[in-house]
Amino acid sequence: MSIKEKIPFYDSLVIPYHIGKAAFYGIKSGFPGKKLTVIGVTGTNGKTTTSFMIWKMLNNSGRKAGVMTTVGWGVSEIHEQMEHMTTVDSKVLNERIKTIANEGAEYLVLELTSHAMAQHRDLGIPIDVAVMTNVTHEHLDYHKTFERYRDAKRKLFKKARYGVINADDPSAKYFETDIKEYTTYGIKGGKLKAEKVKLMPDGVEYVIPSENLKIKTRIAGQFNVSNSLACVAVGKRLGLTDDEIADGIYALTEVEGRMVKIDGGQSFTAIMDYAHTPDAFEKLLPDMKKATKGRLIVMFGSAGGRRDPSKRKPMGEIAGKYADIVMLTEEDDRDTPGDEILEMIAEGAREKGKKDGVDLFKVLDRPSAILECCKMAKKGDTVLFLGKGNEKTIERAHGADDYYELDEIKKALKAIKKK
């Protein structure tokens, strides 16, 4: 039984605490968000990449902008985000916004989670432009229902001056009712609609006929069509020229932990990404399957503790459908038995025809799983290491251990090269 279930009127006790805390630190810091034009970005997937695209576009055009995301924060120099969360607590949040303002930034691109808005961490931060990337199955361990999760994100639009909404998302209609002035974007629909989409190994390319604008990214994946469309919409709202928008999006070469290619001299492609939800898998794996000449090998797990277990089987099903080989491993298991988590995922993969020991494997120790994936990969194959991305720790039953996926992949590539 959770603490919410144990304590009657839990929300009536905790919410005022969060509001009071946010108000205190806002006052203490002088409400620094009011000195900046703030672009708030929310959604289940794509928040970090979209935030960095906007930040890069603004700075590339000569406008000084700060950014605060899961990966890092800063203005010209990005400081590593050590906290195991996207939107830090109200104390740290206000302190960092104050630092960004003091460095002379005019703009702030702020990644905001449903947790942060449910807990009013953004209190006192005016939102000039709100961006919704998508709303899919996530964090139901905290919000309990999809509707409560979606409505927590809608709070951003209720306080914003202008909205940028993904028209392809089923929840778009709800966000549209929360704000008077907004625009929409999408691949299937929207005022800013991408057409003639071309997916390439090193990026995407498309045109927006309504704007007579051609966009090219240097980050691969169809989901980056949507991410960059949101960036276009923000650029238009803030008065950037078409050239400033296109050049700014193209200027972003990578985001730490997102679709990072690792070259250790191996004959196969190794990519690390943060994807950890069914929606992210559904957007990523079909593209990677098409782009892979050989086999697609996918390694991942699912968070334990009080994290939402209902996404595990669907992730297994999607991986089982598109991957040639599925490798299951730990991913912040916390106090949940790892074998229990992996079996829940494996059920979904088996339903799509995967067989244990043939094309479905379970190796609980993550570094060992990485090494096994590298050993089995052949020329022309693509190996996707999913779920950890830029994170610098892995949470186990005894607590957090230092861990960085990129380092472990490099070690494994070096090990197989020696043989």
Side-chain angles (χ1 to χ4, degrees), residues 283-313:
K283 286 182 169 67
L284 175 63
L285 299 191
D287 287 350
M288 296 311 301
K289 179 64 176 174
K290 291 176 186 175
T292 300
K293 293 180 180 178
R295 301 169 302 168
L296 179 62
I297 302 170
V298 180
M299 188 201 84
F300 67 100
S302 184
R306 293 183 295 276
R307 303 314 192 267
D308 181 13
S310 63
K311 69 178 184 178
R312 293 170 190 162
K313 186 177 178 181

Side-chain angles (χ1 to χ4, degrees), residues 31-278:
F31 290 108
K34 293 183 178 180
K35 300 174 184 177
L36 301 161
T37 297
V38 182
I39 301 99
V41 182
T42 194
T44 307
N45 300 303
K47 296 188 298 295
T48 299
T49 300
T50 301
S51 294
F52 270 103
M53 277 186 178
I54 297 168
W55 168 77
K56 189 64 152 182
M57 175 184 69
L58 289 169
N59 282 295
N60 199 66
S61 69
R63 296 159 174 84
K64 199 167 185 179
V67 65
M68 292 182 69
T69 74
T70 308
V71 171
W73 68 280
V75 183
S76 54
E77 179 185 354
I78 300 301
H79 308 284
E80 188 177 332
Q81 167 89 316
M82 297 304 294
E83 294 82 2
H84 225 282
M85 62 179 70
T86 295
T87 311
V88 291
D89 68 42
S90 52
K91 178 181 183 292
V92 179
L93 182 64
N94 279 283
E95 288 173 350
R96 289 181 180 173
I97 293 175
K98 185 176 181 178
T99 299
I100 287 170
N102 288 343
E103 286 185 28
E106 309 164 71
Y107 299 86
L108 170 63
V109 187
L110 178 62
E111 188 177 343
L112 286 161
T113 61
S114 57
H115 288 74
M117 287 178 284
Q119 295 175 4
H120 303 276
R121 293 180 216 163
D122 58 332
L123 184 72
I125 302 172
I127 304 296
D128 294 274
V129 182
V131 178
M132 181 270 266
T133 59
N134 49 62
V135 186
T136 62
H137 191 105
E138 178 73 322
H139 298 309
L140 300 194
D141 53 299
Y142 180 84
H143 298 286
K144 303 306 178 188
T145 68
F146 175 80
E147 290 72 24
R148 288 182 66 180
Y149 170 58
R150 178 195 66 208
D151 291 348
K153 292 186 175 295
R154 290 173 63 189
K155 290 181 179 182
L156 180 65
F157 282 71
K158 291 177 180 178
K159 65 182 287 186
R161 295 188 178 95
Y162 187 79
V164 173
I165 302 167
N166 184 352
D168 294 340
D169 193 280
S171 294
K173 59 186 178 183
Y174 297 100
F175 287 79
E176 290 171 7
T177 63
D178 295 326
I179 193 163
K180 289 183 180 179
E181 194 175 358
Y182 65 89
T183 192
T184 57
Y185 65 92
I187 299 171
K188 298 176 183 177
K191 294 175 184 176
L192 296 174
K193 184 181 178 184
E195 295 187 8
K196 299 181 180 178
V197 176
K198 184 179 179 182
L199 303 178
M200 301 168 291
D202 57 351
V204 298
E205 192 176 290
Y206 61 90
V207 296
I208 307 173
S210 62
E211 303 296 324
N212 193 28
L213 182 59
K214 184 177 181 179
I215 296 295
K216 186 175 182 180
T217 79
R218 285 197 275 179
I219 305 177
Q222 183 165 309
F223 44 87
N224 281 312
V225 175
S226 294
N227 294 339
S228 56
L229 278 169
C231 187
V232 172
V234 172
K236 289 284 183 182
R237 173 63 179 178
L238 298 179
L240 276 67
T241 66
D242 286 350
D243 285 344
E244 287 174 333
I245 291 170
D247 292 346
I249 290 171
Y250 186 73
L252 185 68
T253 56
E254 68 173 25
V255 177
E256 186 187 1
R258 272 64 176 173
M259 295 302 289
V260 177
K261 288 186 179 181
I262 303 100
D263 186 1
Q266 76 278 10
S267 62
F268 57 89
T269 300
I271 297 175
M272 176 182 77
D273 191 67
Y274 187 57
H276 63 284
T277 67

